[in-house]
Every structure is written in C-alpha cells, then in structure tokens.
Amino acid sequence: NKSATVEQVATTGGNKLTVSGGVTTSTAGAKTATFRADGAIDVTAAVTDGAGQLALTKTGASTLTLTADNTY
C-alpha cells in the first residue's frame, strides 16, 4: 500500500466532498492520507491506523471535518 491524496476542486456554493468509507492502512509501515482542497471535505467514517501507522495532512483553503471516532 502507498500513501494517498484525496482532492476536492469544487469551490462554489454548497459543493463538498463526503468520504463515507473508512480510511485505514492494510499493510505495515507509515502511510499518509492527504486531503487537498479548495472546497469542503467531510470524512464521516472512522480514520484508523489499521496494520500500519496513518498520518493525516490537509492542504488548501478548505475545511476538513472529521465526524467519526477516529483512532489514528
């Protein structure tokens, strides 16, 4: 597994990206989930370390909202 980037490019009105599946690692080692956006991103499922260590980063002028019980 590799690190991943999720990007939201819509910036007008109520446009937002909702991530409703879990975000986790399935193999050992350090991974980074990067959320890059000029529009809003909502993560409604848990963010967890899984088999490896997961770090989150956020770039851009957006709002990143985590609403689940996260354990990363």
Side-chain angles (χ1 to χ4, degrees):
N1 286 348
K2 297 181 180 181
S3 295
T5 299
V6 176
E7 186 167 6
Q8 160 64 306
V9 295
T11 61
T12 60
N15 294 325
K16 70 177 176 180
L17 173 65
T18 299
V19 178
S20 59
V23 179
T24 190
T25 60
S26 61
T27 60
K31 312 290 187 301
T32 301
T34 300
F35 294 89
R36 179 173 50 212
D38 291 323
I41 300 176
D42 292 339
V43 180
T44 60
V47 179
T48 61
D49 280 334
Q53 300 79 39
L54 182 62
L56 290 185
T57 61
K58 180 226 163 251
T59 62
S62 67
T63 300
L64 173 63
T65 304
L66 306 175
T67 58
D69 292 330
N70 301 296
T71 60
Y72 69 96

